[in-house]
Amino acid sequence: MTNPYKLWKRYHISSLDDLRKMVQLFEQDQPKSAGFDTETDGLHIIYSRPFLLQFGWLVPGKNYGRVFTMDTTRENVKTFFYLAKRVKYLLAHNIKFDLHMLTNIGYAEDVLSMTNLYDNMAVARLALEAVPARDGGDSLDLKSLGVRYVHPTAGDSEAILKAEKQKLNNERIKILAAALRQFPLDGEKTATGRQKYWGKGVIESFLKDITHDVNDLPPHIREVWLTWQEEYPEPTYADIDRNILIRYGADDIITMMEFFKKAFPIILERKQLPVLERESRAVLPLFKMERVGLKVDREYLENCRKKVKAYIIQLRNEMYRICGEKVTVGQHERIIEVFNKKWNIMLENANKQTLQDIQENFDGEPKRLAQIIQELRSLEKWYSTYIVRLLDSSKYDGRAYTQLNAYGAVSGRMSSDFQQFPRDPLVDEEGNELFHPRKAFLADYMTAYIDYSQIELRVQADYTLKVSGGDLNMCRAYMPFRCHRIGENGEKIPYEFDTPEKRKEWNKYTWFLDENPKQKWTPTDNHNLTAHNALLALGYECIEPYKEYRYNGSGQPFFKEYIDEDEFKRVRSKGKSFNFMKNYGGGIGAAMKQLGLPRHVAQALIDGFTKAFPHVIIYQQAVDQQHAKKGYVQNMYGRRYYLRDRNKAYKLANYLIQGTCADALKEAIIRIDEYITKRNLKTRMILPIHDELQFKVEPGEEWAIYEFQRIMQEVFDEWCLVPVVAEIETSKTCWAEAKEGIITM
């Protein structure tokens, strides 16, 4: 195998003559594609700075390229932009981060003027198979791609860099060890009887407990630790030997461009260039969103941190008392032993469903321990994931920033650290509020939240229309499908959905069912219907749909023998979970494992879903047949999902739905950004969270919220036969207090 790292021409710019040479070689080669990267002193998208810039290109008609490394002087960076704007495809791996770095040293105007930005991660996602890394697919990590598709030595320079960084870190650790050597650990001795002392490992082990922070360390240890961190900060790339770093930076460019050389023809062959172009147009809008950040109520967070910490300690102490020893909620095997030895309760595992079963079937200490473990797992997750992380990320200027990952999911769906912020607060056992994640985010003046209503299920309904004429119940959940209204002369006027204008009449008239003209159309509750059908399959008699059922089957029922309206809500929650699971391709095994159901109940849910939505099953079968025929399936925006392994094809039906929604959202973001720019608005997009867009609204620009809503809906109008609704909420205080509509006072 030819080693490109030996073939490429390498240059380091240290003078104006070197810079002129780069320009001359660029003019000579006339490359169509080029790549760039930055080496930085940190990873914060607003406060870190680049100190080294790499720029390189493939030489047309040759088996090599040229790569230049340079300090981030004004002459060097301006020349980089001058050349970079002249190639058709300018690539970087995780390109928005590098754009942030260049912006942070004063080149915002140059960044925003770029029209040829492509993320190599988007290239990889479109050229590789539709298999997540967790299921054995390719990681989008550049080194991993390089080792597999460029050359086995692709990771060598990174290994050298990490070793050098570790060497520097070891030197600073020696300084800490010497400073701590004077402080013995009370009562702690080695196996040979020697005294143990405080050290870095001991401190880190102490701080690993989420209820411990630096202030909990003994005063003399805390002073040494903080002084050491201030005077000997952890080494960054800026501290690495420059020659090692130059080699590493150049190798990254070679890896990226050599991968691009192999991947781009695959994208063309697969007809994925239009999809890549959409990803390119989304780069700057997403970059702009990341720079806005979210205003954080740090005082509220700190108060919540103290309350949650105290409550965790209280529950832990009670758990220790019941167990008779210190046990953490992550020690599953030890928890199983405690239940066995203390109460002769044999457990196969200590997961959520098992602990729930214990609470339902036992009393006293076993029940209480199960309750505590469940609650502590939730508390500790919220404490670290929301409270501590937000405090840390907002420490610079009171705003929390996140990077939007547009390529991590196989489907094309975006993700970030801010994807999960529950609507309901965290409370203690008495119902007292400990922390509300959405209260932590404040409005600058006004924040608008525009959310697509049940968009994935609407797209599912649209797919059934296109594949088999439409699923009656699924479509009737969102429009008067196969219904009519009565005209002025008593004539029947059918509901039409083929054009956006007719489609929007779904809520303007009273509609009647075609098969029962006396019955008015009301939207189907999908989850009610699955739950209802499942109960019938389990042997229940329906006395009143969704309100009253009585068990007439044989054997002990899984649900109660008599189900009233409140109990039906519990059954409905299972139906709701199963509906989403089924749309994700899950079957009986997934229902049993994830929902903690016996086989016959899981089968009843499958039967209930199939009876309720038979055309969804037809759609899923059609997707499977299409994949078997072509080796791929294609969503409404042309994105293709290729799979060689037929055993994984069951996921494709959901990829189509989720990916279609994701691409539609990206298209909406692009158009809204164009609208904001064209009208020179000060309002900014902040963040996409699943199917919602958030906006930082400026005074006097409240009217624009309706325009954003219109754009979001019109994106779907162009192809979706099911009406799409984007709902508006706004707040002038915090996210938790968002109200429907636009606040006028």
Side-chain angles (χ1 to χ4, degrees):
M1 179 186 290
T2 303
N3 187 342
Y5 303 99
K6 294 182 178 180
L7 294 178
W8 272 58
K9 313 301 181 184
R10 301 167 182 261
Y11 312 83
H12 181 66
I13 294 174
S14 56
S15 67
L16 287 176
D17 286 339
D18 294 336
L19 201 59
R20 293 189 192 99
K21 183 176 182 180
M22 179 174 73
V23 175
Q24 291 168 358
L25 289 172
F26 184 93
E27 299 286 1
Q28 169 190 304
D29 296 338
Q30 292 293 304
K32 293 182 179 180
S33 59
F36 76 102
D37 190 18
T38 59
E39 305 306 331
T40 70
D41 59 10
L43 297 176
H44 197 286
I45 62 173
I46 304 298
Y47 292 98
S48 294
R49 298 289 184 270
F51 58 87
L52 194 68
L53 174 64
Q54 297 90 250
F55 179 54
W57 60 80
L58 296 160
V59 178
K62 302 293 184 180
N63 65 345
Y64 64 86
R66 306 184 195 278
V67 57
F68 298 80
T69 54
M70 64 196 87
D71 295 330
T72 52
T73 64
R74 179 171 178 78
E75 294 83 1
N76 290 346
V77 179
K78 294 300 287 186
T79 304
F80 156 73
F81 277 112
Y82 168 71
L83 298 179
K85 292 178 181 180
R86 296 170 61 185
V87 296
K88 186 172 184 178
Y89 303 101
L90 180 65
L91 293 121
H93 202 78
N94 189 17
I95 194 168
K96 292 190 278 76
F97 179 80
D98 296 297
L99 297 178
H100 286 302
M101 295 304 102
L102 294 171
T103 299
N104 292 347
I105 55 173
Y107 296 94
E109 186 175 336
D110 293 282
V111 166
L112 293 175
S113 69
M114 303 295 283
T115 58
N116 58 348
L117 301 171
Y118 294 82
D119 199 312
N120 190 54
M121 297 171 73
V123 172
R125 180 56 70 206
L126 295 173
L128 300 174
E129 276 205 285
V131 181
R134 65 177 180 273
D135 293 338
D138 288 293
S139 165
L140 297 194
D141 171 72
L142 183 59
K143 183 186 75 173
S144 300
L145 292 173
V147 170
R148 182 162 185 181
Y149 295 105
V150 177
H151 195 270
T153 61
D156 288 0
S157 60
E158 182 177 340
I160 294 171
L161 182 73
K162 287 183 176 180
E164 181 68 14
K165 189 177 179 183
Q166 185 60 53
K167 178 181 175 182
L168 294 175
N169 201 38
N170 289 341
E171 292 298 322
R172 66 188 280 270
I173 291 173
K174 288 180 182 178
I175 295 171
L176 176 66
L180 292 173
R181 186 68 180 172
Q182 59 183 308
F183 302 119
L185 277 166
D186 294 339
E188 297 281 342
K189 294 187 180 295
T190 67
T192 58
R194 297 175 61 186
Q195 176 66 51
K196 283 187 177 182
Y197 294 86
W198 280 88
K200 180 172 179 287
V202 175
I203 294 174
E204 288 179 338
S205 178
F206 178 85
L207 295 177
K208 189 176 181 180
D209 185 329
I210 64 169
T211 62
H212 292 162
D213 53 41
V214 173
N215 291 329
D216 295 316
L217 288 166
H220 51 292
I221 304 299
R222 181 173 65 246
E223 182 180 357
V224 171
W225 178 257
L226 292 176
T227 301
W228 173 72
Q229 286 190 318
E230 181 179 354
E231 296 182 359
Y232 300 94
E234 186 172 349
T236 69
Y237 281 4
D239 302 307
I240 304 293
D241 180 277
R242 190 53 59 95
N243 290 326
I244 293 176
L245 201 64
I246 286 172
R247 178 79 187 186
Y248 164 77
D251 280 3
D252 269 3
I253 296 294
I254 296 170
T255 301
M256 178 172 63
M257 297 310 297
E258 288 289 333
F259 176 81
F260 177 72
K261 182 170 68 175
K262 293 182 177 182
F264 192 67
I266 297 173
I267 288 176
L268 295 179
E269 180 185 355
R270 292 179 171 183
K271 299 182 176 9
Q272 293 298 279
L273 186 57
V275 182
L276 182 62
E277 297 289 355
R278 180 181 299 108
E279 297 288 5
S280 172
R281 295 197 306 276
V283 167
L284 285 179
L286 296 177
F287 159 80
K288 294 176 190 177
M289 295 170 76
E290 291 178 349
R291 293 198 72 80
V292 177
L294 287 82
K295 187 177 181 181
V296 171
D297 189 338
R298 289 180 54 80
E299 182 179 357
Y300 172 76
L301 278 172
E302 181 57 29
N303 289 333
C304 291
R305 187 190 70 79
K306 293 175 181 177
K307 286 194 293 185
V308 175
K309 176 181 175 179
Y311 190 50
I312 288 173
I313 292 172
Q314 174 188 324
L315 289 180
R316 281 184 179 179
N317 288 334
E318 185 179 357
M319 180 174 68
Y320 301 157
R321 180 187 60 76
I322 294 173
C323 293
E325 60 179 286
K326 285 194 173 184
V327 178
T328 68
V329 294
Q331 292 177 303
H332 287 243
E333 294 299 323
R334 191 71 197 106
I335 291 170
I336 291 172
E337 290 179 11
V338 168
F339 276 97
N340 182 14
K341 291 182 178 180
K342 287 185 71 71
W343 305 295
N344 200 30
I345 299 174
M346 304 296 293
L347 305 180
E348 292 185 3
N349 55 56
N351 62 22
K352 181 178 180 179
Q353 187 58 49
T354 298
L355 295 174
Q356 187 64 41
D357 291 341
I358 291 173
Q359 292 177 61
E360 293 178 359
N361 297 307
F362 293 90
D363 293 314
E365 286 191 336
K367 178 177 182 176
R368 180 58 182 157
L369 180 58
Q371 289 174 334
I372 292 173
I373 294 171
Q374 289 266 70
E375 188 163 8
L376 277 174
R377 285 177 178 172
S378 177
L379 285 164
E380 293 180 7
K381 179 181 177 181
W382 283 50
Y383 184 84
S384 59
T385 302
Y386 301 126
I387 301 175
V388 175
R389 180 182 292 178
L390 282 175
L391 280 169
D392 183 65
S393 64
S394 62
K395 63 186 177 184
Y396 292 97
D397 60 4
R399 303 188 79 85
Y401 301 90
T402 185
Q403 293 188 65
L404 304 172
N405 185 352
Y407 320 110
V410 166
S411 66
R413 187 163 197 167
M414 288 183 287
S415 63
S416 75
D417 289 341
F418 294 169
Q419 288 302 299
Q420 300 290 341
F421 285 102
R423 290 182 176 273
D424 298 320
L426 182 68
V427 298
D428 63 18
E429 291 175 312
E430 282 73 43
N432 301 310
E433 184 175 307
L434 298 170
F435 169 59
H436 196 315
R438 299 191 176 199
K439 284 186 179 178
F441 295 101
L442 302 175
D444 289 275
Y445 162 70
M446 174 188 287
T447 304
Y449 313 87
I450 308 180
D451 188 16
Y452 285 118
S453 171
Q454 297 188 42
I455 193 61
E456 290 191 3
L457 290 175
R458 292 176 191 266
V459 171
Q460 171 72 88
D462 177 74
Y463 268 114
T464 68
L465 284 166
K466 291 180 169 70
V467 169
S468 58
D471 185 90
L472 185 65
N473 288 319
M474 184 68 72
C475 291
R476 279 185 175 172
Y478 308 108
M479 63 181 183
F481 179 60
R482 295 181 188 170
C483 294
H484 60 272
R485 63 184 175 90
I486 306 302
E488 293 181 359
N489 299 318
E491 72 277 18
K492 292 183 178 180
I493 303 174
Y495 173 71
E496 300 177 34
F497 50 81
D498 291 335
T499 66
E501 292 72 25
K502 291 292 185 180
R503 199 178 306 138
K504 290 175 182 177
E505 294 180 351
W506 69 274
N507 62 348
K508 292 183 179 179
Y509 303 100
T510 299
W511 300 93
F512 298 90
L513 308 186
D514 285 353
E515 71 275 19
N516 186 359
K518 292 184 179 180
Q519 184 175 342
K520 294 180 181 180
W521 166 74
T522 56
T524 305
D525 186 314
N526 294 331
H527 311 315
N528 271 356
L529 193 56
T530 295
H532 169 83
N533 288 344
L535 287 174
L536 298 184
L538 288 169
Y540 283 84
E541 173 193 358
C542 175
I543 301 171
E544 184 177 357
Y546 316 143
K547 291 184 177 181
E548 190 176 5
Y549 299 81
R550 182 176 289 106
Y551 184 63
N552 289 333
S554 58
Q556 184 69 25
F558 178 78
F559 300 106
K560 293 181 178 180
E561 291 197 11
Y562 174 74
I563 293 178
D564 57 14
E565 192 169 357
D566 288 336
E567 181 63 17
F568 182 78
K569 292 178 182 178
R570 180 187 169 215
V571 183
R572 184 185 184 277
S573 70
K574 297 292 185 183
K576 180 178 180 180
S577 298
F578 182 80
N579 280 350
F580 287 113
M581 183 182 299
K582 188 62 178 173
N583 279 333
Y584 278 93
I588 190 166
M592 293 172 65
K593 182 178 180 180
Q594 296 179 31
L595 302 182
L597 301 174
R599 176 173 288 274
H600 74 286
V601 177
Q603 185 61 55
L605 283 169
I606 290 176
D607 295 341
F609 182 94
T610 302
K611 182 179 179 181
F613 313 111
H615 284 257
V616 173
I617 306 301
I618 294 172
Y619 155 75
Q620 292 174 343
Q621 292 170 345
V623 171
D624 189 66
Q625 292 165 6
Q626 179 78 353
H627 172 258
K629 181 180 179 181
K630 293 189 173 183
Y632 70 87
V633 294
Q634 179 172 303
N635 78 6
M636 296 304 299
Y637 285 88
R639 184 186 295 270
R640 292 182 179 181
Y641 305 96
Y642 284 80
L643 271 180
R644 286 192 293 266
D645 188 349
R646 292 279 294 123
N647 293 324
K648 295 176 180 177
Y650 68 92
K651 296 184 178 182
L652 292 174
N654 178 254
Y655 287 168
L656 287 179
I657 295 170
Q658 195 176 88
T660 293
C661 294
D663 284 328
L665 183 62
K666 288 176 186 175
E667 184 65 34
I669 287 171
I670 292 167
R671 296 185 190 184
I672 290 172
D673 179 72
E674 291 172 348
Y675 186 93
I676 289 172
T677 302
K678 184 177 180 180
R679 285 157 179 78
N680 197 28
L681 298 180
K682 295 180 180 179
T683 293
R684 294 289 179 265
M685 283 184 283
I686 301 175
L687 186 70
I689 296 187
H690 296 311
D691 304 314
E692 175 181 281
L693 276 180
Q694 297 186 5
F695 299 83
K696 177 176 176 286
V697 183
E698 290 295 311
E701 295 182 354
E702 294 87 349
W703 58 269
I705 299 172
Y706 293 116
E707 293 300 303
F708 304 150
Q709 179 193 40
R710 173 185 60 79
I711 293 170
M712 289 175 67
Q713 292 179 161
E714 285 182 353
V715 167
F716 283 88
D717 283 347
E718 295 167 5
W719 56 267
C720 187
L721 300 177
V722 176
V724 168
V725 176
E727 300 171 328
I728 295 173
E729 290 186 335
T730 54
S731 174
K732 286 191 174 182
T733 53
C734 66
W735 188 3
E737 296 176 1
K739 305 296 183 184
E740 183 178 340
I742 298 178
I743 298 171
T744 57
M745 295 180 61

